[in-house]
Amino acid sequence: MQHYREKKTSLVHPLIDYKTVVIVTDTFPPATGGMAYTAYRISNHLDYHGVPTTVVVFNEDKVRCICGKKEWSLNTNSIMSSFDRHANMDESCIQVVDPEMSPYCVISLYMGRNAYFGYLLSRKLKLHHYIVCVGSDIHQHFETYYHKWRYEKLVKKARKIGILSDDMYEKVSSIPNSNGKIMLLNPGFNHELFRPMQRLLKYDFLYVGYARPVKGLDYFLKILPSIDRKCRVCLVAPHRLADLNYYNECINAAKNLSLQHEIHWYGQTPPEELVELYNSSRFVIVPSKSEGAPHVVLEAMGCNRPIIATDVGRISEFLGSKDTLFNSDAEFIKLLELALDGSLLEFPNARERAIKLAGSEIERISYRRFIDFEQ
């Protein structure tokens, strides 16, 4: 497995030879999340090299196209029906690109529906296709026949596949025609923004992430009643339309906890305010069921905040220790109690470690969250 880690390939450098690049995603700033900021990161990096990008935001309701300052939407009825049948895409979706600007390539973020949409687009227009496995949902869907069939098509046609963690490699490398295409991407974060600041510690525990099942917010809320001492908890948990029912369930669970604990809930939070919350919290909680290279861990480390997390993805690699990681309810409860008692050690060198992990590309392009594609 070590060989793909040793590759020094860059995903961005080959792209600067194209006249324009189409990025397919399902979230884009001001949304929160790794995928949104990865799309922003690629777009800004290519813009730095003079390569214009069109970002196609593909979700349940519509397709939004963002090209520079121009933004427009497409009617997706025919696109969705074609997509669901695995058939050729309707001609209307070709509006996302301008034939006079070719040659193109398509970058799909998340190896799921976005990548299949990007694959259909690249096939229709005879474009090169790159895939970046930003989402960790690959573990949930990989075993179904439909997704396996789709992944095989994606991998066969893709020129490069960027992954964020070793467990993603285990999955992707098992797909035929993946040999030689897989590359591990360096994580990144804006260490100029996410830095230690002297702030009053208002909260014991801080959760930052979408209100989605894979992020484990419901699990954290289920564990909190087991903590006897009153906790001050801050939840930065925006939601997507597809997760509305889950979001409402978490809201109700948080309300039921309000008599026992002090709960503060924030939705979409600008990074400039988020860094204040990091520095106002004693511990950052990452209860995810699955992760790749979570930005929240690097941001918390950048602020020198200690982290309690599930032992998934690259979290242990980032922290350099498993002392504050858990794999069971009992371990989670024990770590929370130790944190409240002041028995958990903080990480004084966390910031230096995070900056070393992320690389130095932040000096060239300033934004909050990104994946550093320059290796």
Side-chain angles (χ1 to χ4, degrees), residues 225-344:
S226 303
I227 307 301
D228 294 331
R229 288 178 53 182
K230 185 173 183 177
C231 303
R232 300 165 300 166
V233 180
C234 179
L235 307 174
V236 181
H239 73 284
R240 302 188 298 185
L241 184 60
D243 301 307
L244 182 59
N245 290 337
Y246 175 84
Y247 173 79
N248 288 331
E249 290 173 5
C250 291
I251 286 282
N252 291 331
K255 287 180 179 177
N256 292 334
L257 286 169
S258 59
L259 293 177
Q260 181 182 0
H261 300 296
E262 182 183 325
I263 308 291
H264 299 261
W265 190 302
Y266 294 82
Q268 201 70 49
T269 303
E272 294 78 12
E273 296 178 19
L274 188 56
V275 68
E276 295 283 342
L277 293 176
Y278 278 123
N279 282 285
S280 301
S281 304
R282 293 179 58 199
F283 288 85
V284 176
I285 308 299
V286 185
S288 302
K289 298 175 183 177
S290 177
E291 281 290 358
H295 291 86
V296 61
V297 172
L298 289 174
E299 290 170 355
M301 292 173 67
C303 298
N304 268 340
R305 302 321 304 147
I307 297 159
I308 297 173
T310 42
D311 189 5
V312 293
R314 295 174 69 182
I315 296 179
S316 62
E317 176 189 340
F318 288 177
L319 298 180
S321 167
K322 294 193 176 188
D323 292 347
T324 59
L325 303 186
F326 61 88
N327 289 298
S328 68
D329 293 3
E331 291 177 358
F332 192 9
I333 293 169
K334 182 179 179 181
L335 286 172
L336 294 176
E337 290 176 340
L338 289 173
L340 291 172
D341 291 339
S343 302
L344 276 188

Side-chain angles (χ1 to χ4, degrees), residues 97 158 170 207 282:
V97 295
E170 298 287 351
Y207 167 93
R282 293 179 58 199

Side-chain angles (χ1 to χ4, degrees), residues 19 31 71 94 145 150 162 206 211 216 269 298 334 342 345 358 361:
K19 291 184 180 179
E71 181 173 333
I94 306 306
Y145 172 78
R150 182 169 62 182
L206 169 68
T269 303
L298 289 174
K334 182 179 179 181
L345 296 177
E361 200 57 30

Side-chain angles (χ1 to χ4, degrees), residues 73-129:
S73 298
L74 301 180
N75 183 334
T76 62
N77 292 334
S78 56
I79 297 176
M80 289 298 289
S81 61
S82 295
F83 173 81
D84 292 338
R85 293 195 308 267
H86 318 299
N88 289 333
M89 293 177 66
D90 186 86
E91 291 294 334
S92 62
C93 73
I94 306 306
Q95 297 175 49
V96 302
V97 295
D98 178 0
E100 295 181 0
M101 291 288 290
S102 61
Y104 285 95
C105 79
V106 178
I107 299 177
S108 299
L109 303 184
Y110 167 55
M111 196 168 180
R113 187 185 58 181
N114 297 334
Y116 192 65
F117 184 88
Y119 158 73
L120 292 175
L121 183 64
S122 64
R123 186 179 69 177
K124 189 80 173 181
L125 298 177
K126 298 180 173 60
L127 310 176
H128 293 159
H129 189 205

Side-chain angles (χ1 to χ4, degrees), residues 11-25:
L11 190 60
V12 165
H13 277 162
L15 303 182
I16 63 179
D17 294 329
Y18 293 95
K19 291 184 180 179
T20 188
V21 172
V22 178
I23 302 171
V24 181
T25 178

Side-chain angles (χ1 to χ4, degrees), residues 34-98:
M35 195 179 303
Y37 288 97
T38 300
Y40 195 97
R41 168 62 178 162
I42 298 174
S43 180
N44 274 274
H45 202 138
L46 290 171
D47 181 67
Y48 178 85
H49 290 287
V51 181
T53 59
T54 297
V55 180
V56 180
V57 186
F58 176 55
N59 57 37
E60 291 89 346
D61 304 316
K62 62 181 180 179
V63 172
R64 292 173 56 224
C65 299
I66 305 166
C67 184
K69 295 183 178 180
K70 181 181 178 183
E71 181 173 333
W72 67 100
S73 298
L74 301 180
N75 183 334
T76 62
N77 292 334
S78 56
I79 297 176
M80 289 298 289
S81 61
S82 295
F83 173 81
D84 292 338
R85 293 195 308 267
H86 318 299
N88 289 333
M89 293 177 66
D90 186 86
E91 291 294 334
S92 62
C93 73
I94 306 306
Q95 297 175 49
V96 302
V97 295
D98 178 0

